[in-house]
Tab-separated table of all heavy atoms in Angstrom:
chain	number	residue	atom	x	y	z
K	513	GLY	N	-13.089	-0.301	18.518
K	513	GLY	CA	-13.113	-1.043	19.776
K	513	GLY	C	-13.177	-2.545	19.599
K	513	GLY	O	-13.485	-3.266	20.550
K	514	GLN	N	-12.882	-3.025	18.393
K	514	GLN	CA	-13.090	-4.452	18.108
K	514	GLN	C	-11.804	-5.210	17.750
K	514	GLN	O	-11.874	-6.309	17.213
K	514	GLN	CB	-14.125	-4.609	16.991
K	514	GLN	CG	-15.509	-4.116	17.368
K	514	GLN	CD	-16.079	-4.869	18.567
K	514	GLN	OE1	-16.025	-6.097	18.615
K	514	GLN	NE2	-16.588	-4.130	19.534
K	515	TRP	N	-10.624	-4.611	18.023
K	515	TRP	CA	-9.394	-5.388	17.863
K	515	TRP	C	-9.493	-6.614	18.784
K	515	TRP	O	-9.787	-6.494	19.966
K	515	TRP	CB	-8.171	-4.562	18.255
K	515	TRP	CG	-7.751	-3.503	17.279
K	515	TRP	CD1	-8.562	-2.655	16.580
K	515	TRP	CD2	-6.404	-3.168	16.907
K	515	TRP	NE1	-7.803	-1.817	15.803
K	515	TRP	CE2	-6.480	-2.094	15.982
K	515	TRP	CE3	-5.143	-3.648	17.285
K	515	TRP	CZ2	-5.329	-1.522	15.421
K	515	TRP	CZ3	-4.012	-3.065	16.723
K	515	TRP	CH2	-4.105	-2.021	15.799
K	516	GLY	N	-9.262	-7.767	18.233
K	516	GLY	CA	-9.292	-9.002	19.032
K	516	GLY	C	-10.694	-9.499	19.335
K	516	GLY	O	-10.849	-10.560	19.939
K	517	LEU	N	-11.714	-8.759	18.905
K	517	LEU	CA	-13.105	-9.155	19.179
K	517	LEU	C	-13.802	-9.428	17.843
K	517	LEU	O	-13.503	-10.412	17.194
K	517	LEU	CB	-13.796	-8.071	20.010
K	517	LEU	CG	-13.134	-7.817	21.377
K	517	LEU	CD1	-13.696	-6.576	22.051
K	517	LEU	CD2	-13.291	-9.043	22.275
K	518	ALA	N	-14.732	-8.562	17.403
K	518	ALA	CA	-15.465	-8.842	16.166
K	518	ALA	C	-14.550	-8.871	14.942
K	518	ALA	O	-14.786	-9.642	14.009
K	518	ALA	CB	-16.576	-7.807	15.967
K	519	MET	N	-13.493	-8.051	14.946
K	519	MET	CA	-12.551	-8.086	13.816
K	519	MET	C	-11.890	-9.465	13.729
K	519	MET	O	-11.688	-10.006	12.639
K	519	MET	CB	-11.482	-7.001	13.969
K	519	MET	CG	-12.007	-5.589	13.832
K	519	MET	SD	-10.792	-4.357	14.351
K	519	MET	CE	-9.716	-4.317	12.914
K	520	GLN	N	-11.545	-10.001	14.890
K	520	GLN	CA	-10.927	-11.327	14.923
K	520	GLN	C	-11.951	-12.409	14.574
K	520	GLN	O	-11.614	-13.393	13.909
K	520	GLN	CB	-10.307	-11.592	16.302
K	520	GLN	CG	-9.318	-12.737	16.327
K	520	GLN	CD	-8.037	-12.419	15.554
K	520	GLN	OE1	-7.642	-11.274	15.440
K	520	GLN	NE2	-7.410	-13.449	15.006
K	521	ASP	N	-13.201	-12.204	15.012
K	521	ASP	CA	-14.267	-13.160	14.667
K	521	ASP	C	-14.435	-13.266	13.153
K	521	ASP	O	-14.709	-14.348	12.625
K	521	ASP	CB	-15.599	-12.732	15.292
K	521	ASP	CG	-15.612	-12.863	16.812
K	521	ASP	OD1	-14.731	-13.569	17.360
K	521	ASP	OD2	-16.493	-12.248	17.444
K	522	ASP	N	-14.281	-12.131	12.447
K	522	ASP	CA	-14.397	-12.160	10.980
K	522	ASP	C	-13.352	-13.085	10.370
K	522	ASP	O	-13.625	-13.783	9.386
K	522	ASP	CB	-14.241	-10.760	10.395
K	522	ASP	CG	-15.387	-9.830	10.754
K	522	ASP	OD1	-16.440	-10.323	11.204
K	522	ASP	OD2	-15.227	-8.604	10.589
K	523	ILE	N	-12.154	-13.077	10.959
K	523	ILE	CA	-11.071	-13.952	10.470
K	523	ILE	C	-11.390	-15.401	10.818
K	523	ILE	O	-11.304	-16.292	9.967
K	523	ILE	CB	-9.723	-13.500	11.067
K	523	ILE	CG1	-9.397	-12.074	10.604
K	523	ILE	CG2	-8.601	-14.468	10.681
K	523	ILE	CD1	-8.258	-11.404	11.351
K	524	THR	N	-11.799	-15.626	12.064
K	524	THR	CA	-12.176	-16.980	12.495
K	524	THR	C	-13.319	-17.523	11.640
K	524	THR	O	-13.310	-18.700	11.248
K	524	THR	CB	-12.595	-16.946	13.983
K	524	THR	OG1	-11.509	-16.420	14.753
K	524	THR	CG2	-12.940	-18.334	14.489
K	525	ASP	N	-14.297	-16.663	11.327
K	525	ASP	CA	-15.429	-17.106	10.508
K	525	ASP	C	-14.986	-17.444	9.084
K	525	ASP	O	-15.592	-18.305	8.427
K	525	ASP	CB	-16.525	-16.031	10.492
K	525	ASP	CG	-17.174	-15.861	11.861
K	525	ASP	OD1	-17.000	-16.755	12.712
K	525	ASP	OD2	-17.829	-14.826	12.094
K	526	GLY	N	-13.937	-16.785	8.614
K	526	GLY	CA	-13.363	-17.146	7.319
K	526	GLY	C	-12.744	-18.537	7.351
K	526	GLY	O	-12.879	-19.315	6.395
K	527	VAL	N	-12.084	-18.862	8.463
K	527	VAL	CA	-11.513	-20.209	8.632
K	527	VAL	C	-12.639	-21.245	8.640
K	527	VAL	O	-12.555	-22.285	7.965
K	527	VAL	CB	-10.696	-20.287	9.941
K	527	VAL	CG1	-10.175	-21.716	10.158
K	527	VAL	CG2	-9.542	-19.302	9.921
K	528	LYS	N	-13.705	-20.942	9.372
K	528	LYS	CA	-14.840	-21.881	9.440
K	528	LYS	C	-15.477	-22.059	8.066
K	528	LYS	O	-15.891	-23.167	7.701
K	528	LYS	CB	-15.865	-21.383	10.467
K	528	LYS	CG	-15.334	-21.501	11.893
K	528	LYS	CD	-16.310	-20.962	12.919
K	528	LYS	CE	-15.752	-21.180	14.340
K	528	LYS	NZ	-16.556	-20.494	15.362
K	529	TRP	N	-15.547	-20.970	7.290
K	529	TRP	CA	-16.083	-21.056	5.929
K	529	TRP	C	-15.224	-21.991	5.075
K	529	TRP	O	-15.743	-22.830	4.343
K	529	TRP	CB	-16.147	-19.648	5.327
K	529	TRP	CG	-16.594	-19.607	3.896
K	529	TRP	CD1	-17.877	-19.614	3.427
K	529	TRP	CD2	-15.759	-19.561	2.735
K	529	TRP	NE1	-17.888	-19.576	2.054
K	529	TRP	CE2	-16.601	-19.540	1.598
K	529	TRP	CE3	-14.373	-19.532	2.543
K	529	TRP	CZ2	-16.100	-19.487	0.295
K	529	TRP	CZ3	-13.879	-19.477	1.247
K	529	TRP	CH2	-14.735	-19.463	0.142
K	530	LEU	N	-13.896	-21.844	5.178
K	530	LEU	CA	-12.980	-22.712	4.426
K	530	LEU	C	-13.200	-24.186	4.779
K	530	LEU	O	-13.184	-25.055	3.911
K	530	LEU	CB	-11.526	-22.360	4.768
K	530	LEU	CG	-10.785	-21.319	3.951
K	530	LEU	CD1	-9.366	-21.181	4.481
K	530	LEU	CD2	-10.761	-21.673	2.466
K	531	ILE	N	-13.409	-24.446	6.079
K	531	ILE	CA	-13.616	-25.828	6.533
K	531	ILE	C	-14.963	-26.349	6.032
K	531	ILE	O	-15.067	-27.464	5.517
K	531	ILE	CB	-13.516	-25.908	8.066
K	531	ILE	CG1	-12.082	-25.573	8.519
K	531	ILE	CG2	-13.918	-27.295	8.571
K	531	ILE	CD1	-11.956	-25.346	10.023
K	532	GLU	N	-16.016	-25.504	6.164
K	532	GLU	CA	-17.361	-25.920	5.722
K	532	GLU	C	-17.397	-26.198	4.219
K	532	GLU	O	-18.128	-27.089	3.761
K	532	GLU	CB	-18.381	-24.820	6.066
K	532	GLU	CG	-18.728	-24.755	7.545
K	532	GLU	CD	-19.422	-23.445	7.914
K	532	GLU	OE1	-19.733	-22.655	6.991
K	532	GLU	OE2	-19.618	-23.215	9.124
K	533	GLN	N	-16.608	-25.453	3.441
K	533	GLN	CA	-16.558	-25.677	1.998
K	533	GLN	C	-15.824	-26.979	1.655
K	533	GLN	O	-15.830	-27.401	0.501
K	533	GLN	CB	-15.836	-24.510	1.304
K	533	GLN	CG	-16.537	-23.167	1.392
K	533	GLN	CD	-17.809	-23.120	0.565
K	533	GLN	OE1	-17.843	-23.562	-0.577
K	533	GLN	NE2	-18.874	-22.592	1.148
K	534	GLY	N	-15.175	-27.556	2.654
K	534	GLY	CA	-14.405	-28.776	2.402
K	534	GLY	C	-13.028	-28.502	1.826
K	534	GLY	O	-12.292	-29.434	1.485
K	535	ILE	N	-12.669	-27.223	1.711
K	535	ILE	CA	-11.381	-26.856	1.099
K	535	ILE	C	-10.234	-27.101	2.072
K	535	ILE	O	-9.179	-27.619	1.697
K	535	ILE	CB	-11.411	-25.373	0.666
K	535	ILE	CG1	-12.469	-25.151	-0.412
K	535	ILE	CG2	-10.036	-24.925	0.156
K	535	ILE	CD1	-12.781	-23.685	-0.685
K	536	ALA	N	-10.430	-26.714	3.340
K	536	ALA	CA	-9.342	-26.761	4.320
K	536	ALA	C	-9.422	-28.017	5.167
K	536	ALA	O	-10.503	-28.419	5.608
K	536	ALA	CB	-9.393	-25.524	5.212
K	537	ASP	N	-8.260	-28.610	5.404
K	537	ASP	CA	-8.119	-29.650	6.415
K	537	ASP	C	-8.055	-28.936	7.766
K	537	ASP	O	-7.124	-28.170	8.015
K	537	ASP	CB	-6.830	-30.437	6.162
K	537	ASP	CG	-6.570	-31.513	7.214
K	537	ASP	OD1	-7.229	-31.489	8.277
K	537	ASP	OD2	-5.686	-32.361	6.976
K	538	PRO	N	-9.034	-29.134	8.638
K	538	PRO	CA	-9.072	-28.364	9.890
K	538	PRO	C	-7.839	-28.548	10.769
K	538	PRO	O	-7.562	-27.713	11.631
K	538	PRO	CB	-10.335	-28.861	10.603
K	538	PRO	CG	-10.769	-30.087	9.875
K	538	PRO	CD	-10.201	-30.028	8.502
K	539	LYS	N	-7.069	-29.613	10.543
K	539	LYS	CA	-5.873	-29.847	11.358
K	539	LYS	C	-4.624	-29.210	10.731
K	539	LYS	O	-3.545	-29.275	11.310
K	539	LYS	CB	-5.645	-31.351	11.527
K	539	LYS	CG	-6.705	-32.049	12.370
K	539	LYS	CD	-6.320	-33.495	12.640
K	539	LYS	CE	-7.241	-34.150	13.657
K	539	LYS	NZ	-8.648	-34.150	13.229
K	540	ARG	N	-4.775	-28.612	9.524
K	540	ARG	CA	-3.603	-28.069	8.832
K	540	ARG	C	-3.868	-26.638	8.351
K	540	ARG	O	-3.718	-26.325	7.173
K	540	ARG	CB	-3.215	-28.970	7.652
K	540	ARG	CG	-2.713	-30.344	8.079
K	540	ARG	CD	-2.135	-31.105	6.890
K	540	ARG	NE	-3.134	-31.320	5.852
K	540	ARG	CZ	-2.851	-31.411	4.541
K	540	ARG	NH1	-1.610	-31.284	4.122
K	540	ARG	NH2	-3.818	-31.634	3.670
K	541	ILE	N	-4.273	-25.784	9.278
K	541	ILE	CA	-4.532	-24.384	8.945
K	541	ILE	C	-3.513	-23.513	9.671
K	541	ILE	O	-3.336	-23.629	10.887
K	541	ILE	CB	-5.967	-23.970	9.320
K	541	ILE	CG1	-6.972	-24.809	8.509
K	541	ILE	CG2	-6.185	-22.480	9.059
K	541	ILE	CD1	-8.401	-24.599	8.898
K	542	GLY	N	-2.830	-22.667	8.920
K	542	GLY	CA	-1.880	-21.713	9.491
K	542	GLY	C	-2.396	-20.302	9.349
K	542	GLY	O	-3.362	-20.036	8.616
Side-chain angles (χ1 to χ4, degrees):
Q514 295 300 313
W515 286 41
L517 299 170
M519 292 168 78
Q520 197 69 28
D521 291 343
D522 292 345
I523 298 167
T524 303
D525 293 344
V527 177
K528 290 178 177 171
W529 176 84
L530 270 181
I531 294 168
E532 285 164 6
Q533 295 290 315
I535 297 167
D537 178 346
K539 292 187 171 59
R540 293 189 299 150
I541 298 174

